[in-house]
Amino acid sequence: MAGKFYGVGVGPGDPELMTLKAKRVLEEVDIICTPKSAVGKESIALSIVEEVLGGDLEIKELIFPMTHNQDKLNKFWDEATAEIKEELEQEKDVAFITIGDPLLYSTYIYVLRRLEKNTDIEIETVPGINSYSACSAAMNRPLAEKNETVAIIPAAYDYDNLDEILANFDNTVLMKVARNFDDIVAKLDKVGITENSFYASRCGREDEFITTDLKSLCGEDLDYLSMVITKQSIEEE
Amino acid sequence: MAGKFYGVGVGPGDPELMTLKAKRVLEEVDIICTPKSAVGKESIALSIVEEVLGGDLEIKELIFPMTHNQDKLNKFWDEATAEIKEELEQEKDVAFITIGDPLLYSTYIYVLRRLEKNTDIEIETVPGINSYSACSAAMNRPLAEKNETVAIIPAAYDYDNLDEILANFDNTVLMKVARNFDDIVAKLDKVGITENSFYASRCGREDEFITTDLKSLCGEDLDYLSMVITKQSIEEE
């Protein structure tokens, strides 16, 4: 099998935050695979790539529906992997693109794990800028300094000990907060860090939205690509 | 004051992991400031920039000695800030470069905070790829997936509750492990996750070193730019 497989992070949203390596690899490969939740749905990863590379690309859309049904997910991941393997077997180099970093909460992980079982396939992961780095930069606000700790929590899920983490970590990144937002704000209030927190969605995109007034968002229908970054105390010098 | 100040992350080590935006900004600014621990010392950030942009750049070296004496540090940071302000006042655009991400454990933070007191200075931070994203990519190993949590610990410092964090988080990134390495391995052993961990230093540089055999490094003199990434359990599907 001569084709090489790349997992390529295209960054958090701003096309300029793609790396030089991601750009080179995407220019060199034969096929770019882009994950989509359904046919016809927007792919932010693909829109980033098209803004940087132009529109004349060989694209393969792979469907990964939004579901928590593991059997259903496994079936779609198996099918996507089979489609990629078919291209690799035809000696084509294939890139699988994701927003942010491919190895942090990305669908790429499930394709990677399946392809790794084929020990003859060469695989390279190209890291990308995380959304929380872009959000911190947009605010010019340190994510962590000196001996400060950081907790990263995928907040679309429930956690028994979230109160404890919020109280004990100097900084907490809560990713995908839309579903649990009101509950999260209640927990931040309990620790007394709501005023030190900010909410950001679609950082670096045209519809970027950032606010430190979290309470104003309670009860609202929030964007799927949104996060809250908290801090125990704002440093004064 | 017409000059603009940029904090620019140039990535974890591999020059190709610089972003398109970092490259553009560094091409456009008048002066590139690079932090150094002493005159004559290596600056990895500068070597990355020179590999991408070539050597014909206007560079200003700013000295930030390695010390925990806060008064001494404040003095050097004040001096560096004054030097940057002087350039900005002459209507020059200035970039301050750092390896990794400028807002995560970087000297940039102290310069940023000082410059922010001058409300007339325009400041923009350009995020960079973190070292732990590059190390995970080099291993093709997920940093976190699904509902998994991540703790980031600057391990050059001591922590009372590190045992607890290692036991409770699905994944832990221990940054700058050189000073406390043997103690860290003892703690990983206690939780039973030494075999699920890997050590990486200078990822993406010519002298990159990665191993899953942490025990072989105990008692050794380790690189300052080194980390350990742990996992509670290696996923099998």
Side-chain angles (χ1 to χ4, degrees):
Chain A
M1 195 176 297
K4 183 169 170 179
F5 180 68
Y6 295 90
V8 178
V10 299
D14 177 353
E16 260 205 304
L17 291 181
M18 190 188 284
T19 64
L20 304 174
K21 185 168 184 178
K23 179 169 184 280
R24 176 183 58 79
V25 167
L26 294 175
E27 282 166 346
E28 287 175 1
V29 294
D30 300 294
I31 294 163
I32 295 172
C33 293
T34 178
K36 280 195 151 187
S37 58
V39 178
K41 273 265 185 179
E42 167 197 32
S43 163
I44 295 181
L46 183 57
S47 75
I48 292 169
V49 170
E50 284 176 341
E51 279 183 64
V52 173
L53 274 74
D56 191 22
L57 305 165
E58 187 165 349
I59 304 295
K60 188 190 261 297
E61 292 185 359
L62 301 173
I63 306 300
F64 300 95
M66 298 282 215
T67 170
H68 287 284
N69 180 326
Q70 194 58 52
D71 288 340
K72 207 170 166 184
L73 284 173
N74 282 338
K75 185 179 147 283
F76 277 95
W77 293 336
D78 287 345
E79 278 173 13
T81 307
E83 284 196 58
I84 291 167
K85 270 184 70 177
E86 209 172 287
E87 300 291 351
L88 294 169
E89 276 161 12
Q90 287 171 42
E91 308 200 354
K92 289 187 175 164
D93 291 335
V94 178
F96 185 101
I97 55 173
T98 67
I99 50 170
D101 186 78
L103 293 170
L104 192 64
Y105 308 122
S106 166
T107 304
Y108 167 68
I109 292 167
Y110 315 114
V111 173
L112 167 70
R113 201 166 277 141
R114 282 164 171 76
L115 285 173
E116 275 183 328
K117 288 184 183 157
N118 306 269
T119 51
D120 56 332
I121 298 178
E122 196 186 347
I123 299 174
E124 185 171 350
T125 305
V126 181
I129 303 274
N130 290 300
S131 51
Y132 54 80
S133 290
C135 294
S136 299
M139 292 287 281
N140 282 329
R141 206 173 93 164
L143 184 62
E145 60 185 285
K146 293 177 189 156
N147 64 341
E148 288 181 5
T149 53
V150 183
I152 304 172
I153 313 291
Y157 297 87
D158 298 312
Y159 292 92
D160 290 337
N161 61 342
L162 185 57
D163 305 65
E164 211 182 305
I165 292 169
L166 290 172
N168 289 323
F169 274 75
D170 298 303
N171 307 278
T172 304
V173 176
L174 297 153
M175 298 182 76
K176 307 232 171 93
V177 291
R179 195 172 71 88
N180 295 323
F181 187 77
D182 292 7
D183 181 50
I184 286 167
V185 173
K187 287 188 161 73
L188 294 173
D189 269 353
K190 218 169 119 188
V191 182
I193 56 175
T194 311
E195 313 303 313
N196 298 349
S197 306
F198 71 95
Y199 166 96
S201 65
R202 298 189 170 237
C203 224
R205 303 295 290 170
E206 271 176 28
D207 48 356
E208 166 181 303
F209 176 74
I210 305 183
T211 182
T212 56
D213 183 4
L214 271 61
K215 298 236 166 125
S216 68
L217 301 177
C218 287
E220 298 289 320
D221 192 19
L222 301 176
D223 197 281
Y224 179 69
L225 292 174
S226 59
M227 63 170 53
V228 166
I229 302 186
T230 79
K231 214 169 189 55
Q232 280 303 322
S233 62
I234 302 286
E235 185 93 4
E236 297 284 348
E237 278 188 52
Chain B
M1 196 177 294
K4 182 169 170 180
F5 180 68
Y6 295 90
V8 179
V10 298
D14 176 352
E16 261 206 303
L17 292 181
M18 190 187 286
T19 64
L20 303 174
K21 184 168 185 177
K23 180 169 183 280
R24 175 183 59 79
V25 167
L26 294 175
E27 280 167 348
E28 287 176 2
V29 295
D30 300 295
I31 295 162
I32 295 172
C33 294
T34 178
K36 280 194 150 188
S37 58
V39 178
K41 273 265 186 180
E42 169 198 31
S43 163
I44 295 181
L46 183 56
S47 75
I48 291 170
V49 170
E50 284 175 342
E51 279 182 65
V52 173
L53 274 75
D56 192 22
L57 306 166
E58 187 165 347
I59 303 296
K60 188 188 261 296
E61 291 185 359
L62 300 173
I63 304 299
F64 300 94
M66 296 281 215
T67 169
H68 288 283
N69 180 326
Q70 193 59 50
D71 288 341
K72 208 170 164 182
L73 283 173
N74 283 337
K75 186 177 149 286
F76 277 95
W77 292 336
D78 287 345
E79 279 174 13
T81 307
E83 283 195 59
I84 291 167
K85 271 184 70 176
E86 210 171 286
E87 302 290 351
L88 294 170
E89 275 161 13
Q90 288 170 42
E91 306 199 356
K92 290 186 174 162
D93 291 335
V94 178
F96 185 101
I97 55 172
T98 66
I99 49 170
D101 187 78
L103 293 171
L104 192 64
Y105 308 123
S106 166
T107 304
Y108 167 69
I109 293 167
Y110 314 115
V111 173
L112 167 70
R113 202 166 276 143
R114 282 164 171 75
L115 285 174
E116 275 182 328
K117 288 182 184 159
N118 306 269
T119 50
D120 58 331
I121 298 177
E122 195 187 348
I123 299 174
E124 185 171 350
T125 305
V126 180
I129 302 274
N130 290 302
S131 51
Y132 54 80
S133 290
C135 294
S136 299
M139 291 288 281
N140 283 330
R141 206 174 93 163
L143 185 59
E145 60 186 285
K146 292 176 189 158
N147 65 340
E148 288 182 4
T149 54
V150 182
I152 304 173
I153 313 291
Y157 297 86
D158 297 313
Y159 293 90
D160 289 338
N161 60 341
L162 185 56
D163 305 64
E164 211 182 305
I165 292 170
L166 290 172
N168 290 323
F169 274 76
D170 297 303
N171 307 279
T172 304
V173 176
L174 298 153
M175 298 184 76
K176 306 237 172 87
V177 292
R179 195 172 71 87
N180 295 324
F181 187 78
D182 292 8
D183 181 49
I184 286 167
V185 173
K187 287 189 161 72
L188 294 174
D189 269 354
K190 219 170 117 191
V191 182
I193 56 174
T194 312
E195 314 303 315
N196 298 349
S197 306
F198 72 94
Y199 166 97
S201 64
R202 298 186 172 242
C203 225
R205 303 295 290 169
E206 272 176 28
D207 48 357
E208 165 181 302
F209 176 75
I210 304 182
T211 182
T212 54
D213 183 5
L214 270 62
K215 298 238 165 122
S216 67
L217 302 176
C218 287
E220 298 290 319
D221 192 18
L222 300 176
D223 197 281
Y224 178 69
L225 293 174
S226 58
M227 65 171 52
V228 165
I229 302 186
T230 78
K231 213 169 190 57
Q232 281 302 324
S233 63
I234 302 286
E235 184 93 3
E236 297 285 348
E237 278 187 53

